[in-house]
Amino acid sequence: MQILILGSGGREHALAWKISQSPLCTRLFIAPGNPGTASLGQNLPLPVNDFEAIKAVCLQHQIDMLIVGPEDPLVEGIVDFFNQDELRQIHVIGPSAEGAKLEGSKAFAKEFMHEMGIPTARYKEFNADRFAEGVAYLRQHPMPVVLKADGLAAGKGVVIAQNTEEAIQALTEMIQDQKFGAASSKVVIEEFLSGIECSVFVLTDGKNYQVLPIAKDYKRIGEGDTGLNTGGMGAISPVPFADDVFMHKVKLRIIDPTMQGLIQRGISYKGFIFIGLISVAGEPYVIEYNCRMGDPETEVVMPRIANDLMPALLSLKEQKLDQELCEISPMHAATIMLVSGGYPEAYQKGKLIQGLELVEHCLVFHAGTRLDDGQLLSNGGRVMAITALGHTLTDALSTAKQNVQKIRFDQSYFRTDIGWEFE
Ligand code: AMP
Ligand code: GLY
């Protein structure tokens, strides 16, 4: 099979690493990819949102399967776009635009959860017409309070306000100043939940589903989970507190009703559902849905899938996932993200990366790199993810930590305390 993966980050490198090992994969393309994916297949310089260009490349290279990494093309309807005559035989991994609304519209996701009785923070939704009501609502709301722009805002659309003044300011910026354009013309205001988070990944054909390895990512820039939010500074899998008892609750209260909700609404969903959960005193609540895999979670999830992932992906088309289950390795995985100094605020690119050849017993997934005249240079905030496996979490973390230090570039930074709560 000829396979095309869309995207260019660590997530797509990890997907490419897994897919390229399958005997069913005869040729692998990644668009646009990165220098890491270039060693596993052929990179194609295409923007992930240019559906016409993607169509042309799929026909030219006789692509059989398209795996969509990031959310944007899904929310914009790439799955529906491929549901046209010349393209219909191409198997696209991802939900329809309607399914992708679980991520693309917070208001839609909240209403969906409310209707299905899925535990989540209590909320109300406001728009420009109801701005004054929103302010009044915030004035009587206990603090902290959470404000979420309805639409996609590149991971920046959530504000946790510590006091009423901050909350009103955030609401004003989102609705009146249109901080995120149309994405914040509607805002969800919800109660703040206190607990520990984890990421649950579900592969579904719209009828059957399978839970993939559970992971936890570390979003804050600073040690001990302090400072600004980032795209993710590291991840571990499995997650010690997400034991069988907890996961049983997740299945009964969250995954099963999510599947029922999709089926009841006639939503076609053949791809990954990423459920961001928070455990409040051992009870799971949904923080958010995403319509794709997580990054950097994929960098620990893929290495823990013990068998070929392709049969499971292929089975989604005919809704036969129940016959093609993935095997999950009992090993622990940890990944540490090496980032550019200054990230997630201003940072420099184009730094020479050295020491990769010294890395042992680890997988290195490129996130923001580029090749220039044979030299590997940094090309983003998150530069690369270093993943290690071990028989224990401590072993995996220790190998990842030892090796991340071997990769050097000017002003690089990484967190030394990924997994800190569990060691
Ligand atoms: P998101 O951009 O939706 O991933 O949200 C960013 C982060 O905000 C989440 O990972 C949580 O840490 C936090 N968050 C979102 N909603 C809530 C909530 N209701 N209570 C507490 N924290 C939240
Ligand atoms: N790691 C969180 C995300 O991918 O959204």
Side-chain angles (χ1 to χ4, degrees):
M1 295 195 87
Q2 318 247 76
I3 298 161
L4 172 61
I5 299 178
L6 278 190
S8 63
R11 167 181 52 211
E12 288 74 23
H13 189 178
L15 285 168
W17 169 81
K18 184 67 188 166
I19 299 293
S20 66
Q21 295 169 48
S22 172
L24 295 169
C25 173
T26 48
R27 204 136 177 233
L28 181 62
F29 299 90
I30 311 93
N34 63 39
T37 61
S39 65
L40 301 167
Q42 184 181 337
N43 286 348
L44 301 168
L46 283 182
V48 297
N49 284 333
D50 188 342
F51 295 176
E52 288 296 339
I54 296 166
K55 169 182 172 179
V57 152
C58 284
L59 295 175
Q60 180 194 346
H61 293 289
Q62 296 173 311
I63 297 298
D64 302 295
M65 182 188 280
L66 175 66
I67 303 174
V68 185
E71 62 277 16
D72 283 49
L74 293 167
V75 171
E76 285 177 23
I78 194 165
V79 171
D80 312 78
F81 177 86
F82 269 70
N83 196 14
Q84 53 173 279
D85 278 347
E86 305 151 280
L87 300 176
R88 205 163 282 140
Q89 80 286 358
I90 301 174
H91 180 192
V92 189
I93 306 298
S96 60
E98 192 63 15
K101 271 183 161 175
L102 283 178
E103 174 164 5
S105 167
K106 304 268 189 208
F108 174 87
K110 292 300 276 192
E111 194 225 296
F112 178 93
M113 287 187 269
H114 182 70
E115 189 182 311
M116 299 312 298
I118 295 170
T120 185
R122 274 194 298 271
Y123 82 107
K124 273 202 167 20
E125 169 192 326
F126 297 93
N127 59 15
D129 295 341
R130 298 185 52 225
F131 177 74
E133 266 179 77
V135 171
Y137 183 71
L138 286 173
R139 285 202 194 283
Q140 53 76 51
H141 199 289
M143 294 294 138
V145 65
V146 185
L147 293 96
K148 300 183 170 181
D150 177 55
L152 294 183
K156 298 190 171 66
V158 176
V159 172
I160 299 175
Q162 298 301 328
N163 56 54
T164 309
E165 199 177 44
E166 235 177 271
I168 294 173
Q169 191 189 336
L171 188 71
T172 309
E173 283 174 8
M174 286 190 193
I175 292 187
Q176 298 208 306
D177 308 342
Q178 304 192 336
K179 187 171 180 183
F180 302 108
S184 63
S185 61
K186 224 191 265 176
V187 172
V188 165
I189 299 180
E190 67 177 36
E191 67 177 331
F192 176 82
L193 298 176
S194 194
I196 183 160
E197 290 176 56
C198 67
S199 308
V200 169
F201 298 98
V202 176
L203 181 64
T204 183
D205 58 18
K207 187 167 97 184
N208 308 287
Y209 72 84
Q210 185 184 7
V211 181
L212 300 176
I214 294 139
K216 179 171 197 310
D217 88 336
Y218 290 78
K219 286 204 171 83
R220 302 296 196 94
I221 188 72
E223 306 270 316
D225 291 337
T226 55
L228 293 174
N229 257 325
T230 71
M233 295 297 293
I236 59 164
S237 176
V239 180
F241 77 81
D243 56 13
D244 289 349
V245 174
F246 182 79
M247 286 312 295
H248 187 65
K249 294 178 188 171
V250 172
K251 179 181 169 347
L252 246 51
R253 300 176 195 171
I254 295 170
I255 306 176
D256 289 345
T258 298
M259 291 302 305
Q260 269 164 29
L262 292 172
I263 293 165
Q264 271 174 28
R265 289 171 182 236
I267 295 176
S268 167
Y269 204 119
K270 297 180 177 182
F272 299 102
I273 311 177
F274 165 173
I275 311 174
L277 289 180
I278 189 162
S279 166
V280 180
E283 308 302 327
Y285 288 78
V286 177
I287 289 277
E288 61 171 353
Y289 286 108
N290 295 303
C291 59
R292 52 168 173 90
M293 288 297 293
D295 194 350
E297 290 98 326
T298 307
E299 291 92 306
V300 288
V301 169
M302 287 302 138
R304 292 195 60 230
I305 296 179
N307 59 342
D308 189 354
L309 181 60
M310 277 299 292
L313 294 181
L314 281 170
S315 75
L316 303 187
K317 192 165 193 158
E318 307 289 338
Q319 297 193 301
K320 291 190 172 144
L321 180 61
D322 52 330
Q323 296 168 25
E324 294 293 352
L325 295 182
C326 299
E327 287 164 28
I328 301 196
S329 152
M331 298 288 277
H332 291 252
T335 197
I336 301 177
M337 199 50 92
L338 189 59
V339 307
S340 301
Y343 173 78
E345 297 185 283
Y347 58 84
Q348 291 176 353
K349 296 183 189 177
K351 306 284 187 190
L352 180 65
I353 302 171
Q354 290 178 298
L356 270 180
E357 69 287 356
L358 304 173
V359 173
E360 290 175 309
H361 314 300
C362 284
L363 296 158
V364 175
F365 297 119
H366 293 226
T369 66
R370 72 184 164 91
L371 273 177
D372 187 8
D373 224 0
Q375 290 194 316
L376 189 66
L377 305 179
S378 66
N379 194 37
R382 295 194 292 175
V383 175
M384 29 181 76
I386 289 75
T387 298
L389 288 164
H391 290 287
T392 63
L393 175 61
T394 306
D395 285 350
L397 283 166
S398 142
T399 308
K401 236 181 285 182
Q402 274 165 30
N403 283 279
V404 69
Q405 297 173 38
K406 298 176 184 169
I407 307 174
R408 299 176 316 275
F409 61 91
D410 184 33
Q411 294 175 34
S412 65
Y413 168 78
F414 63 90
R415 269 182 65 171
T416 62
D417 69 337
I418 300 303
W420 61 277
E421 322 93 302
F422 307 121
E423 279 212 285

